[in-house]
Amino acid sequence: MRLRLTPRDTTFFDLLAASAQHLVTGANLLGEMLGAARPERKEIGKRIADAEHLADDATHEIMRRLNQTFITPFDRDDIYNLASSLDDCMDFMDEAADLIVLYKVDELPTRISDQVQVLQRAAELTAEAMPRLRSMDSLKEYWVEVNRLENQADKSYRKLLAQLFDEVADPILLMKLKEIVEKLEEAADAFEKVANTVETIALKES
Amino acid sequence: MRLRLTPRDTTFFDLLAASAQHLVTGANLLGEMLGAARPERKEIGKRIADAEHLADDATHEIMRRLNQTFITPFDRDDIYNLASSLDDCMDFMDEAADLIVLYKVDELPTRISDQVQVLQRAAELTAEAMPRLRSMDSLKEYWVEVNRLENQADKSYRKLLAQLFDEVADPILLMKLKEIVEKLEEAADAFEKVANTVETIALKES
Amino acid sequence: MRLRLTPRDTTFFDLLAASAQHLVTGANLLGEMLGAARPERKEIGKRIADAEHLADDATHEIMRRLNQTFITPFDRDDIYNLASSLDDCMDFMDEAADLIVLYKVDELPTRISDQVQVLQRAAELTAEAMPRLRSMDSLKEYWVEVNRLENQADKSYRKLLAQLFDEVADPILLMKLKEIVEKLEEAADAFEKVANTVETIALKES
């Protein structure tokens, strides 16, 4: 039974902010991984997996409170969507890192770092925005900028995909690179989904 | 804060109908693209992208109203599902067209036109059905027929997939064709999802 | 219009249990298929498709009642999520079986049977747990064990993926095996989603 007489549970904001903070860690480690030699990549991958576990714990805590709190600061569904799309961002970055290690790819196309830079920037913006949900303060700049970044990410993703099919003759290497690049694109999409959910919340509150 | 005292916002029906109309445009352009030579395909792809942007605007407008309207003609979630699955139909068709251009495939298997014909028919049926949501008039024929079309699409998709693996020796060409064919199948699934949502709405209203 | 004055519709529990029972049938047939020679596989695939249709009917019946019942034993959304993720389990197992037949793969990697054994165990646990939703009795053991199984499945999936890329030189065979293995992993994820939904329900009721 849901707890009645509970005050607007502001810890939701702290949990969302914490969850977003793990995305910054994950995105930056992903950037490190690109620059690293193969042996170091495995160790960096482990640290990304650690960030993923912490993000996972934050998500579960949000869901647990969501299911046991009677009054929530926003629509229950919006908090749910926000938490689960933050979780998706982390999962896709983690999966991409995982594949980079698993597939033992030595040379990664330089354009992949464009994708990762977008993820790093999107993660920073998201981590800065989450605490502002409390006051609903200047969130528009955030979702507009993340949408802009995602469009840019999408263009470079498609260029990269075309480039891979033009330049990679080995079909197995092509399969590996294509999957890594797709995971990074899925991560960028997930950051956009977070921004869209924030926009939805702001619209309802306005 | 949601606007109170708002009448049943009938413009939802007009927006859903408009969104479905863009699907007809998109599906027909996809049909044109199959018949076109490679140079023209790029230009047709641009027109499909235009239709996708218009559909996107319609979806955003629906979502905006949904978040700001207190009383909606149907369950908020059903309108949301309807708008987002209409959007998915367009996205998958756009992505398929995009890949056809991006992958520079000269010869497309003839069976792909079976897939696209199903999409064209499903788009017409959907565009005809959306305005009927206002009166809930003879919608069953629509969802029954779209489900029938999707089953047919699914069969031809699986035949086509088997054929590709039997006949295409070049693994990279196989990868390209498989992905295009999969996107078209995803579009057919999305049309079925629209029909299922309409069925859900009709059940609740009956 | 939803039926008012309806008692807590306990048949939901029977329908969920029935749906889960089809998963046991499907998972066991999938196990049979791995041991079978190619000619028999087609026939086993047909029987898996039959189980999939029965599961589909159960899902539709749940959804139909959900849309027409005013009072439901749990949150409407939770029953919806439970029914649709049970449905996903079956769909992914059916798709995997379908690909095994469609791709005419003679030799399947032995590790695939590890994946299928996990699915068989997860299906049994799920079928045993569904009737316990009525009394909310000892469900925790169930979701804890399914989560443990899914983690194990995930590890063996990643080992298998690495092994495929290391050992399968033919890119087309690799594409086929990779897709089959991915479908089985998606099935394992779907079983975890069922368990997570049960956990959500239990948390709300506690």
Side-chain angles (χ1 to χ4, degrees):
Chain A
M1 188 192 65
R2 293 201 182 130
L3 311 171
R4 264 135 192 73
L5 303 168
T6 308
R8 278 169 132 253
D9 191 334
T10 55
T11 58
F12 279 114
F13 299 108
D14 306 319
L15 288 164
L16 290 166
S19 175
Q21 208 49 58
H22 299 306
L23 297 178
V24 176
T25 312
N28 291 336
L29 284 166
L30 202 49
E32 259 187 63
M33 183 181 266
L34 296 187
R38 237 224 267 152
E40 304 146 37
R41 284 183 185 165
K42 195 160 190 171
E43 187 274 334
I44 297 171
K46 285 208 184 67
R47 284 156 60 198
I48 296 177
D50 295 339
E52 194 276 328
H53 291 133
L54 292 171
D56 225 26
D57 296 342
T59 310
H60 281 115
E61 181 58 17
I62 293 169
M63 298 307 184
R64 197 186 62 73
R65 285 169 180 275
L66 204 52
N67 291 327
Q68 300 196 318
T69 306
F70 188 60
I71 301 161
T72 57
F74 313 127
D75 275 5
R76 198 171 295 279
D77 290 353
D78 293 328
I79 301 178
Y80 176 87
N81 290 335
L82 202 50
S84 57
S85 42
L86 283 169
D87 201 52
D88 291 340
C89 298
M90 192 74 227
D91 286 346
F92 289 124
M93 292 195 293
D94 180 45
E95 285 172 33
D98 206 41
L99 291 171
I100 290 172
V101 174
L102 193 75
Y103 287 163
K104 310 187 194 70
V105 184
D106 287 308
E107 296 274 308
L108 290 165
T110 49
R111 270 217 179 84
I112 280 189
S113 41
D114 300 348
Q115 284 186 295
V116 173
Q117 275 164 31
V118 167
L119 296 178
Q120 288 174 289
R121 185 69 190 124
E124 287 162 13
L125 289 165
T126 307
E128 286 162 19
M130 288 303 115
R132 298 210 300 273
L133 280 167
R134 186 178 265 111
S135 57
M136 281 294 157
D137 179 29
S138 60
L139 287 165
K140 185 169 187 182
E141 295 85 328
Y142 151 71
W143 76 64
V144 168
E145 177 61 8
V146 169
N147 274 277
R148 195 192 62 73
L149 281 169
E150 201 281 329
N151 292 334
Q152 175 191 323
D154 195 56
K155 282 192 182 57
S156 66
Y157 160 70
R158 298 187 50 259
K159 280 212 193 80
L160 181 45
L161 202 59
Q163 183 190 28
L164 290 179
F165 275 92
D166 288 340
E167 296 175 8
V168 180
D170 167 9
I172 293 184
L173 178 59
L174 180 59
M175 282 173 70
K176 292 175 172 181
L177 293 173
K178 184 173 186 286
E179 194 176 357
I180 292 165
V181 161
E182 282 169 347
K183 286 291 176 207
L184 295 172
E185 170 66 6
E186 288 184 284
D189 289 341
F191 275 107
E192 188 188 28
K193 195 161 169 291
V194 172
N196 293 344
T197 308
V198 170
E199 182 176 5
T200 302
I201 291 170
L203 272 167
K204 290 181 185 175
E205 298 284 308
S206 68
Chain B
M1 189 192 67
R2 293 196 181 135
L3 311 172
R4 266 134 192 75
L5 302 169
T6 308
R8 277 168 133 256
D9 192 335
T10 56
T11 58
F12 279 114
F13 299 109
D14 306 320
L15 288 163
L16 290 166
S19 175
Q21 208 49 59
H22 299 306
L23 297 178
V24 176
T25 313
N28 291 337
L29 284 166
L30 203 48
E32 260 188 61
M33 183 180 265
L34 297 187
R38 238 224 267 153
E40 305 146 35
R41 283 183 185 165
K42 195 161 189 170
E43 187 275 334
I44 297 171
K46 284 207 184 66
R47 285 156 61 198
I48 295 177
D50 294 340
E52 194 276 326
H53 290 132
L54 292 170
D56 225 26
D57 295 342
T59 310
H60 281 114
E61 181 58 17
I62 292 169
M63 297 308 183
R64 198 186 61 75
R65 286 171 180 274
L66 204 52
N67 291 326
Q68 300 195 320
T69 306
F70 188 60
I71 301 161
T72 57
F74 313 127
D75 274 4
R76 199 171 294 278
D77 290 353
D78 293 328
I79 301 178
Y80 176 87
N81 291 334
L82 202 50
S84 57
S85 43
L86 284 168
D87 201 52
D88 291 340
C89 298
M90 192 74 227
D91 287 345
F92 288 125
M93 293 194 293
D94 180 45
E95 285 172 33
D98 206 41
L99 291 171
I100 290 171
V101 174
L102 193 75
Y103 288 163
K104 311 188 195 70
V105 184
D106 287 307
E107 297 274 309
L108 290 166
T110 48
R111 270 219 178 83
I112 281 189
S113 41
D114 300 347
Q115 285 187 293
V116 173
Q117 277 165 30
V118 167
L119 295 179
Q120 289 175 289
R121 186 68 191 125
E124 287 163 12
L125 290 165
T126 306
E128 287 162 19
M130 288 302 115
R132 298 209 301 272
L133 280 167
R134 186 178 265 111
S135 57
M136 281 294 153
D137 179 31
S138 59
L139 286 165
K140 185 168 187 183
E141 296 85 327
Y142 150 72
W143 76 64
V144 168
E145 177 62 8
V146 169
N147 274 279
R148 194 191 63 73
L149 280 169
E150 201 281 330
N151 292 335
Q152 174 191 323
D154 195 55
K155 282 192 183 57
S156 67
Y157 161 71
R158 299 187 49 260
K159 278 210 193 81
L160 182 44
L161 202 60
Q163 183 191 29
L164 290 179
F165 275 91
D166 287 341
E167 296 174 9
V168 180
D170 168 9
I172 292 185
L173 177 59
L174 180 59
M175 282 172 71
K176 292 175 172 180
L177 293 173
K178 183 172 186 287
E179 195 176 356
I180 292 165
V181 161
E182 282 169 347
K183 287 288 176 208
L184 295 172
E185 170 66 6
E186 288 184 287
D189 289 341
F191 275 106
E192 187 187 29
K193 194 161 171 290
V194 172
N196 293 344
T197 308
V198 170
E199 181 176 6
T200 301
I201 292 170
L203 271 168
K204 289 181 185 176
E205 298 285 308
S206 69
Chain C
M1 189 192 68
R2 293 198 181 134
L3 311 173
R4 264 135 192 72
L5 303 168
T6 308
R8 279 170 133 252
D9 191 335
T10 56
T11 59
F12 279 114
F13 299 107
D14 306 318
L15 288 163
L16 289 167
S19 175
Q21 208 50 58
H22 299 306
L23 296 179
V24 175
T25 312
N28 291 338
L29 285 166
L30 202 48
E32 259 187 63
M33 183 181 266
L34 296 188
R38 239 225 267 149
E40 305 146 36
R41 284 183 185 167
K42 196 161 188 168
E43 187 275 334
I44 297 172
K46 285 207 184 67
R47 284 156 59 200
I48 295 176
D50 294 339
E52 194 276 328
H53 291 133
L54 292 171
D56 225 26
D57 295 341
T59 310
H60 281 115
E61 181 58 18
I62 292 169
M63 298 306 184
R64 198 186 61 73
R65 285 169 180 275
L66 204 52
N67 291 327
Q68 299 196 320
T69 307
F70 187 61
I71 301 162
T72 56
F74 313 127
D75 275 4
R76 200 170 293 279
D77 290 353
D78 293 328
I79 301 178
Y80 176 88
N81 291 334
L82 202 50
S84 57
S85 41
L86 284 168
D87 201 52
D88 291 340
C89 298
M90 192 75 227
D91 286 346
F92 289 124
M93 293 195 293
D94 180 44
E95 285 172 33
D98 207 41
L99 290 171
I100 290 171
V101 174
L102 193 76
Y103 287 162
K104 310 189 194 72
V105 184
D106 287 307
E107 297 274 310
L108 289 166
T110 48
R111 271 220 177 81
I112 280 190
S113 41
D114 300 348
Q115 284 187 293
V116 172
Q117 275 163 29
V118 168
L119 295 178
Q120 289 175 289
R121 185 67 190 127
E124 286 163 16
L125 289 165
T126 306
E128 287 161 18
M130 288 302 116
R132 298 209 301 273
L133 279 168
R134 186 178 265 109
S135 58
M136 281 295 153
D137 180 30
S138 59
L139 287 165
K140 185 168 187 182
E141 295 85 325
Y142 150 71
W143 75 65
V144 168
E145 177 61 7
V146 169
N147 274 279
R148 195 192 62 72
L149 280 169
E150 201 281 328
N151 292 333
Q152 174 191 324
D154 195 55
K155 283 192 183 55
S156 67
Y157 161 69
R158 298 186 52 258
K159 279 211 194 82
L160 181 45
L161 202 59
Q163 182 191 30
L164 290 179
F165 275 91
D166 288 341
E167 297 175 8
V168 181
D170 168 9
I172 293 185
L173 178 59
L174 180 59
M175 282 172 69
K176 292 175 172 181
L177 293 173
K178 184 172 185 286
E179 195 176 355
I180 292 165
V181 162
E182 281 169 348
K183 287 289 177 209
L184 295 172
E185 170 66 7
E186 288 184 286
D189 289 341
F191 275 107
E192 188 188 27
K193 196 160 168 292
V194 172
N196 293 344
T197 308
V198 170
E199 182 176 6
T200 301
I201 292 171
L203 272 168
K204 289 183 186 175
E205 298 285 308
S206 67

